[in-house]
Amino acid sequence: MEIDEILDRFYPLPTHSKKALKAHISEVRRPKGDILMRVGRVEKNLYFIKSGIVRAYSDSHSGDVSFWFGKEGDIVISMKGYVSGQEGYEHIETLEACDLYQMRTQNLEALFETDIHVANWGRKLIGYEMIKTEERLIAMQFKTAQQRYLDLIATTPDLLQRVQLCHIASYLGITQVSLSRIRAEIR
Amino acid sequence: MEIDEILDRFYPLPTHSKKALKAHISEVRRPKGDILMRVGRVEKNLYFIKSGIVRAYSDSHSGDVSFWFGKEGDIVISMKGYVSGQEGYEHIETLEACDLYQMRTQNLEALFETDIHVANWGRKLIGYEMIKTEERLIAMQFKTAQQRYLDLIATTPDLLQRVQLCHIASYLGITQVSLSRIRAEIR
DNA sequence: TATAAAATTTTACAAATGATAAAAAGCGAT
DNA sequence: ATCGCTTTTTATCATTTGTAAAATTTTATA
Protein backbone atom coordinates (compact mmCIF):
# COMPACT_ATOMS: atom_id res chain seq x y z
CA MET A 1 0.00 0.00 0.00
CA GLU A 2 1.41 3.36 -1.03
CA ILE A 3 2.01 6.11 1.49
CA ASP A 4 -0.58 8.46 -0.05
CA GLU A 5 -3.31 5.91 0.38
CA ILE A 6 -2.25 5.17 3.96
CA LEU A 7 -2.17 8.84 4.99
CA ASP A 8 -5.65 9.36 3.51
CA ARG A 9 -7.21 6.39 5.28
CA PHE A 10 -8.96 8.16 8.11
CA TYR A 11 -8.82 11.86 7.43
CA PRO A 12 -8.69 13.74 4.11
CA LEU A 13 -5.42 15.64 4.29
CA PRO A 14 -4.95 18.68 2.03
CA THR A 15 -2.08 18.36 -0.43
CA HIS A 16 0.29 20.69 1.42
CA SER A 17 -0.16 18.83 4.71
CA LYS A 18 0.43 15.51 3.05
CA LYS A 19 3.55 16.92 1.44
CA ALA A 20 4.75 18.17 4.82
CA LEU A 21 4.32 14.70 6.27
CA LYS A 22 5.95 12.96 3.34
CA ALA A 23 8.97 15.24 3.54
CA HIS A 24 9.86 13.42 6.77
CA ILE A 25 9.04 9.90 5.64
CA SER A 26 11.55 7.43 4.26
CA GLU A 27 11.18 3.84 3.16
CA VAL A 28 12.93 0.99 4.96
CA ARG A 29 12.91 -2.80 4.68
CA ARG A 30 13.05 -4.99 7.77
CA PRO A 31 13.58 -8.75 7.88
CA LYS A 32 11.23 -11.18 9.56
CA GLY A 33 11.74 -11.29 13.34
CA ASP A 34 13.10 -7.75 13.57
CA ILE A 35 12.26 -5.83 16.74
CA LEU A 36 10.83 -2.41 15.86
CA MET A 37 10.11 -1.25 19.41
CA ARG A 38 11.09 -2.36 22.89
CA VAL A 39 9.56 -2.19 26.35
CA GLY A 40 10.99 0.62 28.44
CA ARG A 41 12.13 2.77 25.57
CA VAL A 42 10.83 6.10 24.35
CA GLU A 43 10.72 5.25 20.67
CA LYS A 44 12.19 7.77 18.27
CA ASN A 45 10.38 6.46 15.19
CA LEU A 46 6.97 5.41 14.03
CA TYR A 47 6.07 3.42 10.96
CA PHE A 48 3.38 2.91 8.36
CA ILE A 49 3.18 -0.59 6.95
CA LYS A 50 3.55 -0.77 3.19
CA SER A 51 3.63 -4.56 3.21
CA GLY A 52 4.03 -7.28 5.83
CA ILE A 53 2.63 -7.92 9.25
CA VAL A 54 3.79 -7.09 12.79
CA ARG A 55 2.64 -7.77 16.32
CA ALA A 56 2.75 -5.85 19.59
CA TYR A 57 3.21 -7.85 22.77
CA SER A 58 3.87 -7.47 26.46
CA ASP A 59 5.83 -9.71 28.78
CA SER A 60 4.03 -11.93 31.24
CA HIS A 61 5.09 -14.56 33.73
CA SER A 62 4.18 -17.23 31.18
CA GLY A 63 5.77 -15.99 27.96
CA ASP A 64 4.58 -13.03 25.94
CA VAL A 65 1.04 -11.86 25.17
CA SER A 66 0.19 -10.44 21.76
CA PHE A 67 -2.40 -7.69 21.95
CA TRP A 68 -2.26 -6.05 18.53
CA PHE A 69 -1.51 -7.04 14.94
CA GLY A 70 -0.69 -4.51 12.25
CA LYS A 71 -0.67 -5.09 8.52
CA GLU A 72 -0.73 -3.19 5.22
CA GLY A 73 -1.98 0.34 5.80
CA ASP A 74 -1.69 0.31 9.60
CA ILE A 75 0.38 2.69 11.66
CA VAL A 76 2.92 1.26 14.09
CA ILE A 77 3.40 3.35 17.21
CA SER A 78 4.39 2.81 20.77
CA MET A 79 1.14 4.08 22.23
CA LYS A 80 2.46 5.54 25.48
CA GLY A 81 5.31 7.31 23.74
CA TYR A 82 3.10 8.63 20.97
CA VAL A 83 0.59 10.04 23.43
CA SER A 84 2.65 11.16 26.37
CA GLY A 85 6.32 10.75 25.53
CA GLN A 86 6.70 8.03 28.13
CA GLU A 87 8.39 4.64 27.96
CA GLY A 88 6.41 2.01 26.11
CA TYR A 89 4.95 -1.08 27.73
CA GLU A 90 5.16 -3.14 24.55
CA HIS A 91 7.53 -4.84 22.17
CA ILE A 92 6.72 -4.74 18.48
CA GLU A 93 8.27 -7.27 16.10
CA THR A 94 7.88 -8.12 12.44
CA LEU A 95 6.26 -11.48 11.70
CA GLU A 96 7.12 -11.25 7.99
CA ALA A 97 9.72 -9.29 6.06
CA CYS A 98 8.21 -5.80 6.00
CA ASP A 99 8.38 -2.74 3.80
CA LEU A 100 7.84 0.22 6.07
CA TYR A 101 7.52 3.96 5.81
CA GLN A 102 9.54 5.44 8.64
CA MET A 103 9.11 8.80 10.36
CA ARG A 104 10.70 10.43 13.41
CA THR A 105 8.16 10.93 16.19
CA GLN A 106 9.76 14.28 16.84
CA ASN A 107 8.99 15.50 13.33
CA LEU A 108 5.37 14.40 13.58
CA GLU A 109 5.01 16.18 16.91
CA ALA A 110 6.39 19.35 15.38
CA LEU A 111 3.74 19.16 12.65
CA PHE A 112 1.01 18.63 15.24
CA GLU A 113 1.93 22.01 16.69
CA THR A 114 2.01 23.90 13.40
CA ASP A 115 -0.46 22.23 11.03
CA ILE A 116 -4.08 21.93 12.19
CA HIS A 117 -4.88 19.34 9.53
CA VAL A 118 -2.09 17.08 10.74
CA ALA A 119 -3.30 17.58 14.31
CA ASN A 120 -6.80 16.48 13.33
CA TRP A 121 -5.40 13.64 11.28
CA GLY A 122 -3.52 12.43 14.35
CA ARG A 123 -6.65 12.82 16.44
CA LYS A 124 -8.72 10.67 14.06
CA LEU A 125 -6.01 8.05 13.75
CA ILE A 126 -5.83 7.47 17.48
CA GLY A 127 -9.61 7.57 17.65
CA TYR A 128 -10.06 4.68 15.25
CA GLU A 129 -7.51 2.65 17.17
CA MET A 130 -9.43 3.51 20.33
CA ILE A 131 -12.72 2.17 18.95
CA LYS A 132 -11.10 -1.08 17.85
CA THR A 133 -9.46 -1.52 21.25
CA GLU A 134 -12.62 -0.72 23.18
CA GLU A 135 -14.65 -3.19 21.11
CA ARG A 136 -12.04 -5.87 21.78
CA LEU A 137 -12.09 -5.09 25.48
CA ILE A 138 -15.87 -5.47 25.57
CA ALA A 139 -15.58 -8.77 23.66
CA MET A 140 -13.02 -10.00 26.20
CA GLN A 141 -15.42 -9.14 29.00
CA PHE A 142 -18.50 -10.99 27.84
CA LYS A 143 -17.83 -13.24 24.86
CA THR A 144 -16.56 -16.78 25.18
CA ALA A 145 -13.17 -17.68 23.73
CA GLN A 146 -14.96 -19.60 20.96
CA GLN A 147 -17.03 -16.56 20.02
CA ARG A 148 -13.94 -14.38 19.95
CA TYR A 149 -12.21 -16.88 17.67
CA LEU A 150 -15.22 -17.00 15.33
CA ASP A 151 -15.28 -13.19 15.27
CA LEU A 152 -11.61 -13.18 14.34
CA ILE A 153 -11.93 -15.54 11.40
CA ALA A 154 -15.00 -13.59 10.24
CA THR A 155 -13.31 -10.18 10.32
CA THR A 156 -9.67 -10.93 9.53
CA PRO A 157 -9.38 -14.44 8.07
CA ASP A 158 -5.95 -13.67 6.57
CA LEU A 159 -4.51 -13.41 10.09
CA LEU A 160 -4.94 -17.16 10.52
CA GLN A 161 -2.84 -17.77 7.43
CA ARG A 162 -0.09 -15.32 8.31
CA VAL A 163 0.32 -15.54 12.08
CA GLN A 164 1.33 -18.46 14.29
CA LEU A 165 -1.44 -19.92 16.42
CA CYS A 166 0.47 -19.28 19.63
CA HIS A 167 0.21 -15.56 18.91
CA ILE A 168 -3.46 -15.82 17.93
CA ALA A 169 -4.14 -17.71 21.17
CA SER A 170 -2.59 -15.07 23.42
CA TYR A 171 -4.34 -12.35 21.39
CA LEU A 172 -7.62 -14.10 22.21
CA GLY A 173 -6.62 -14.36 25.86
CA ILE A 174 -6.36 -18.16 25.98
CA THR A 175 -3.64 -20.79 25.83
CA GLN A 176 -2.65 -22.41 22.60
CA VAL A 177 -4.04 -25.71 23.87
CA SER A 178 -7.45 -24.10 24.41
CA LEU A 179 -7.33 -22.64 20.92
CA SER A 180 -6.59 -26.07 19.49
CA ARG A 181 -9.60 -27.48 21.31
CA ILE A 182 -11.82 -24.73 19.91
CA ARG A 183 -10.52 -25.33 16.40
CA ALA A 184 -11.19 -29.04 16.76
CA GLU A 185 -14.74 -28.43 18.02
CA ILE A 186 -15.90 -26.20 15.19
CA ARG A 187 -14.27 -28.37 12.52
CA MET B 1 -13.93 19.82 39.94
CA GLU B 2 -14.14 23.12 38.09
CA ILE B 3 -14.22 23.27 34.31
CA ASP B 4 -10.87 25.12 34.04
CA GLU B 5 -9.10 22.38 35.91
CA ILE B 6 -10.76 19.67 33.81
CA LEU B 7 -9.89 21.30 30.50
CA ASP B 8 -6.26 21.68 31.57
CA ARG B 9 -5.88 18.07 32.69
CA PHE B 10 -4.05 16.67 29.69
CA TYR B 11 -3.00 19.56 27.51
CA PRO B 12 -2.14 23.15 28.44
CA LEU B 13 -4.70 25.21 26.54
CA PRO B 14 -3.97 28.89 25.89
CA THR B 15 -6.48 31.28 27.44
CA HIS B 16 -8.27 32.13 24.22
CA SER B 17 -8.81 28.46 23.33
CA LYS B 18 -10.14 27.71 26.76
CA LYS B 19 -12.47 30.68 26.45
CA ALA B 20 -13.67 29.42 23.07
CA LEU B 21 -14.47 26.04 24.61
CA LYS B 22 -16.15 27.50 27.67
CA ALA B 23 -18.36 29.68 25.49
CA HIS B 24 -20.15 26.50 24.45
CA ILE B 25 -20.27 24.82 27.84
CA SER B 26 -23.22 24.96 30.22
CA GLU B 27 -23.78 23.32 33.59
CA VAL B 28 -26.49 20.72 34.14
CA ARG B 29 -27.55 18.50 37.02
CA ARG B 30 -28.73 14.95 36.42
CA PRO B 31 -30.34 12.61 38.96
CA LYS B 32 -29.05 9.17 39.83
CA GLY B 33 -30.05 6.57 37.24
CA ASP B 34 -30.32 9.06 34.38
CA ILE B 35 -29.36 7.80 30.93
CA LEU B 36 -26.89 10.19 29.30
CA MET B 37 -26.31 8.21 26.11
CA ARG B 38 -28.02 5.30 24.36
CA VAL B 39 -26.96 2.52 22.03
CA GLY B 40 -27.76 3.23 18.40
CA ARG B 41 -27.83 7.00 18.72
CA VAL B 42 -25.48 9.61 17.36
CA GLU B 43 -25.17 11.64 20.53
CA LYS B 44 -25.48 15.40 20.21
CA ASN B 45 -23.78 16.22 23.51
CA LEU B 46 -20.71 15.37 25.49
CA TYR B 47 -20.05 16.03 29.15
CA PHE B 48 -17.32 16.75 31.65
CA ILE B 49 -17.98 15.47 35.15
CA LYS B 50 -17.91 18.14 37.84
CA SER B 51 -19.11 15.71 40.49
CA GLY B 52 -20.63 12.23 40.56
CA ILE B 53 -19.91 8.96 38.83
CA VAL B 54 -21.21 7.33 35.66
CA ARG B 55 -20.78 4.03 33.84
CA ALA B 56 -20.72 2.97 30.19
CA TYR B 57 -22.14 -0.43 29.35
CA SER B 58 -23.10 -2.63 26.43
CA ASP B 59 -25.90 -5.13 26.20
CA SER B 60 -25.12 -8.82 26.29
CA HIS B 61 -27.18 -11.99 26.31
CA SER B 62 -26.78 -12.14 30.08
CA GLY B 63 -27.55 -8.61 31.24
CA ASP B 64 -25.33 -5.62 30.67
CA VAL B 65 -21.56 -5.32 30.81
CA SER B 66 -19.91 -2.24 32.29
CA PHE B 67 -16.67 -1.37 30.53
CA TRP B 68 -15.90 2.14 31.72
CA PHE B 69 -16.45 4.29 34.79
CA GLY B 70 -16.14 8.04 34.75
CA LYS B 71 -15.86 10.34 37.75
CA GLU B 72 -14.83 13.86 38.71
CA GLY B 73 -12.69 15.36 35.95
CA ASP B 74 -13.44 12.73 33.30
CA ILE B 75 -14.96 13.39 29.92
CA VAL B 76 -18.09 11.48 28.93
CA ILE B 77 -18.33 10.75 25.22
CA SER B 78 -19.90 8.16 23.00
CA MET B 79 -16.62 6.98 21.49
CA LYS B 80 -17.86 5.99 18.05
CA GLY B 81 -19.81 9.18 17.62
CA TYR B 82 -16.97 11.35 18.88
CA VAL B 83 -14.49 9.76 16.51
CA SER B 84 -16.48 8.99 13.41
CA GLY B 85 -19.98 10.40 13.81
CA GLN B 86 -21.46 6.92 13.89
CA GLU B 87 -24.04 5.37 16.21
CA GLY B 88 -22.71 4.42 19.61
CA TYR B 89 -22.45 0.87 20.90
CA GLU B 90 -22.85 1.89 24.54
CA HIS B 91 -25.29 3.18 27.07
CA ILE B 92 -24.03 5.64 29.66
CA GLU B 93 -25.93 6.17 32.91
CA THR B 94 -25.34 8.11 36.09
CA LEU B 95 -24.70 6.03 39.20
CA GLU B 96 -24.99 9.04 41.48
CA ALA B 97 -26.62 12.42 41.08
CA CYS B 98 -24.16 14.28 38.85
CA ASP B 99 -23.15 17.85 38.17
CA LEU B 100 -22.04 17.97 34.57
CA TYR B 101 -20.60 20.44 32.14
CA GLN B 102 -22.43 19.97 28.88
CA MET B 103 -21.27 20.78 25.35
CA ARG B 104 -22.68 20.12 21.89
CA THR B 105 -20.48 17.72 19.93
CA GLN B 106 -21.08 19.86 16.89
CA ASN B 107 -19.55 22.91 18.56
CA LEU B 108 -16.48 20.97 19.63
CA GLU B 109 -16.03 19.63 16.10
CA ALA B 110 -16.19 23.15 14.72
CA LEU B 111 -13.42 24.19 17.09
CA PHE B 112 -11.31 21.20 16.04
CA GLU B 113 -11.36 22.59 12.50
CA THR B 114 -10.46 26.16 13.41
CA ASP B 115 -8.32 26.05 16.57
CA ILE B 116 -5.14 24.00 16.45
CA HIS B 117 -4.80 24.00 20.24
CA VAL B 118 -8.26 22.51 20.63
CA ALA B 119 -7.43 19.94 17.96
CA ASN B 120 -4.31 18.89 19.88
CA TRP B 121 -6.21 18.94 23.15
CA GLY B 122 -8.74 16.53 21.62
CA ARG B 123 -5.91 14.39 20.32
CA LYS B 124 -4.32 14.09 23.75
CA LEU B 125 -7.58 13.45 25.48
CA ILE B 126 -8.41 10.48 23.29
CA GLY B 127 -4.82 9.29 23.58
CA TYR B 128 -4.93 9.03 27.35
CA GLU B 129 -8.22 7.13 27.14
CA MET B 130 -6.54 4.85 24.60
CA ILE B 131 -3.64 4.01 26.91
CA LYS B 132 -5.98 3.20 29.77
CA THR B 133 -8.10 0.99 27.53
CA GLU B 134 -5.11 -0.81 26.03
CA GLU B 135 -3.67 -1.49 29.48
CA ARG B 136 -7.00 -2.92 30.61
CA LEU B 137 -7.18 -5.09 27.50
CA ILE B 138 -3.72 -6.48 28.20
CA ALA B 139 -4.70 -7.13 31.82
CA MET B 140 -7.80 -9.01 30.64
CA GLN B 141 -5.60 -11.16 28.42
CA PHE B 142 -3.04 -12.33 30.92
CA LYS B 143 -3.98 -11.45 34.46
CA THR B 144 -6.25 -13.57 36.61
CA ALA B 145 -9.55 -12.15 37.82
CA GLN B 146 -8.11 -11.94 41.31
CA GLN B 147 -5.12 -9.90 40.10
CA ARG B 148 -7.43 -7.56 38.19
CA TYR B 149 -9.52 -7.06 41.31
CA LEU B 150 -6.45 -6.35 43.42
CA ASP B 151 -5.26 -3.87 40.78
CA LEU B 152 -8.62 -2.14 40.92
CA ILE B 153 -8.65 -1.67 44.68
CA ALA B 154 -5.05 -0.47 44.51
CA THR B 155 -5.62 2.14 41.80
CA THR B 156 -9.21 3.28 42.41
CA PRO B 157 -10.34 2.16 45.87
CA ASP B 158 -13.18 4.69 45.91
CA LEU B 159 -14.91 2.77 43.10
CA LEU B 160 -15.66 -0.05 45.52
CA GLN B 161 -17.45 2.36 47.81
CA ARG B 162 -19.42 4.11 45.10
CA VAL B 163 -20.33 1.42 42.59
CA GLN B 164 -22.41 -1.74 43.01
CA LEU B 165 -20.48 -4.98 42.94
CA CYS B 166 -22.50 -6.34 40.01
CA HIS B 167 -21.06 -3.50 37.89
CA ILE B 168 -17.56 -4.03 39.24
CA ALA B 169 -17.84 -7.74 38.42
CA SER B 170 -18.81 -7.21 34.78
CA TYR B 171 -16.11 -4.52 34.51
CA LEU B 172 -13.61 -7.15 35.61
CA GLY B 173 -15.02 -9.63 33.10
CA ILE B 174 -16.38 -12.07 35.68
CA THR B 175 -19.72 -12.89 37.28
CA GLN B 176 -20.79 -11.44 40.58
CA VAL B 177 -20.52 -14.89 42.12
CA SER B 178 -16.89 -15.12 41.06
CA LEU B 179 -16.21 -11.69 42.49
CA SER B 180 -17.79 -12.71 45.79
CA ARG B 181 -15.53 -15.76 45.87
CA ILE B 182 -12.46 -13.60 45.26
CA ARG B 183 -13.49 -11.14 47.96
CA ALA B 184 -14.00 -13.99 50.41
CA GLU B 185 -10.56 -15.45 49.61
CA ILE B 186 -8.55 -12.30 50.19
CA ARG B 187 -10.47 -11.37 53.33
C1' DT C 1 -38.38 0.30 64.73
C1' DA C 2 -40.51 -2.69 61.44
C1' DT C 3 -41.00 -4.11 56.95
C1' DA C 4 -40.11 -4.73 52.28
C1' DA C 5 -36.95 -4.39 48.64
C1' DA C 6 -32.46 -4.61 46.87
C1' DA C 7 -27.79 -6.10 47.05
C1' DT C 8 -24.47 -9.44 48.25
C1' DT C 9 -22.84 -13.87 49.67
C1' DT C 10 -22.99 -18.76 49.93
C1' DT C 11 -23.74 -23.40 48.24
C1' DA C 12 -23.83 -27.17 44.95
C1' DC C 13 -23.04 -28.73 40.62
C1' DA C 14 -21.71 -28.15 35.59
C1' DA C 15 -18.86 -26.32 32.03
C1' DA C 16 -14.80 -24.04 30.44
C1' DT C 17 -10.08 -23.27 30.68
C1' DG C 18 -5.28 -24.11 32.34
C1' DA C 19 -1.00 -27.01 32.99
C1' DT C 20 1.68 -30.55 31.55
C1' DA C 21 3.37 -34.13 28.79
C1' DA C 22 3.49 -36.63 24.73
C1' DA C 23 2.22 -37.58 19.98
C1' DA C 24 1.46 -36.00 15.39
C1' DA C 25 2.02 -32.95 11.68
C1' DG C 26 4.39 -29.43 9.11
C1' DC C 27 8.54 -27.30 7.26
C1' DG C 28 13.22 -26.21 5.77
C1' DA C 29 17.86 -27.57 4.64
C1' DT C 30 20.71 -30.79 2.78
C1' DA D 1 13.41 -38.29 0.52
C1' DT D 2 15.28 -37.83 5.11
C1' DC D 3 16.80 -35.58 9.19
C1' DG D 4 16.08 -32.18 12.68
C1' DC D 5 13.46 -28.58 14.33
C1' DT D 6 9.22 -26.06 15.08
C1' DT D 7 4.35 -25.92 15.33
C1' DT D 8 0.03 -27.97 16.30
C1' DT D 9 -2.91 -31.41 18.22
C1' DT D 10 -4.37 -34.76 21.59
C1' DA D 11 -4.97 -36.64 26.19
C1' DT D 12 -5.18 -36.30 31.16
C1' DC D 13 -6.06 -34.16 35.35
C1' DA D 14 -6.39 -29.86 38.27
C1' DT D 15 -8.26 -25.36 38.73
C1' DT D 16 -11.10 -21.63 37.65
C1' DT D 17 -15.30 -19.76 36.38
C1' DG D 18 -20.33 -20.06 35.26
C1' DT D 19 -25.28 -21.16 36.42
C1' DA D 20 -29.01 -21.51 39.43
C1' DA D 21 -31.07 -21.23 43.74
C1' DA D 22 -31.15 -20.17 48.51
C1' DA D 23 -29.50 -17.61 52.49
C1' DT D 24 -27.86 -13.53 54.39
C1' DT D 25 -26.88 -8.70 54.76
C1' DT D 26 -27.72 -4.01 53.62
C1' DT D 27 -30.58 -0.23 52.30
C1' DA D 28 -34.69 2.38 51.81
C1' DT D 29 -38.89 3.73 53.50
C1' DA D 30 -43.23 3.64 55.92
Side-chain angles (χ1 to χ4, degrees), chain A residues 58-132:
Chain A
S58 274
D59 297 314
S60 134
H61 56 290
S62 51
D64 60 58
V65 179
S66 303
F67 63 88
W68 177 82
F69 296 110
K71 59 180 184 178
E72 290 77 15
D74 287 330
I75 184 171
V76 182
I77 47 179
S78 175
M79 196 55 71
K80 213 157 176 179
Y82 176 78
V83 171
S84 62
Q86 292 179 287
E87 297 179 355
Y89 44 73
E90 76 271 70
H91 302 278
I92 300 185
E93 74 166 353
T94 59
L95 298 177
E96 299 172 353
C98 289
D99 289 316
L100 303 170
Y101 299 106
Q102 184 177 43
M103 183 175 190
R104 292 213 161 264
T105 309
Q106 192 181 324
N107 291 329
L108 179 59
E109 274 161 11
L111 284 176
F112 283 153
E113 299 301 323
T114 55
D115 185 326
I116 191 171
H117 300 104
V118 176
N120 278 301
W121 171 88
R123 185 173 60 78
K124 286 283 184 179
L125 188 143
I126 206 83
Y128 283 103
E129 287 298 321
M130 176 66 193
I131 289 174
K132 281 196 290 182

Side-chain angles (χ1 to χ4, degrees), chain A residues 83 89 124 126 134 141 170, chain B residues 83 89 124 126 134 170:
Chain A
V83 171
Y89 44 73
K124 286 283 184 179
I126 206 83
E134 195 163 84
Q141 281 178 235
S170 74
Chain B
V83 171
Y89 44 73
K124 285 283 183 179
I126 206 81
E134 195 164 85
S170 73

Side-chain angles (χ1 to χ4, degrees), chain B residues 26-38:
Chain B
S26 59
E27 214 173 314
V28 295
R29 187 172 176 81
R30 294 298 183 85
K32 175 176 177 175
D34 202 50
I35 304 292
L36 297 179
M37 306 189 172
R38 286 176 203 280

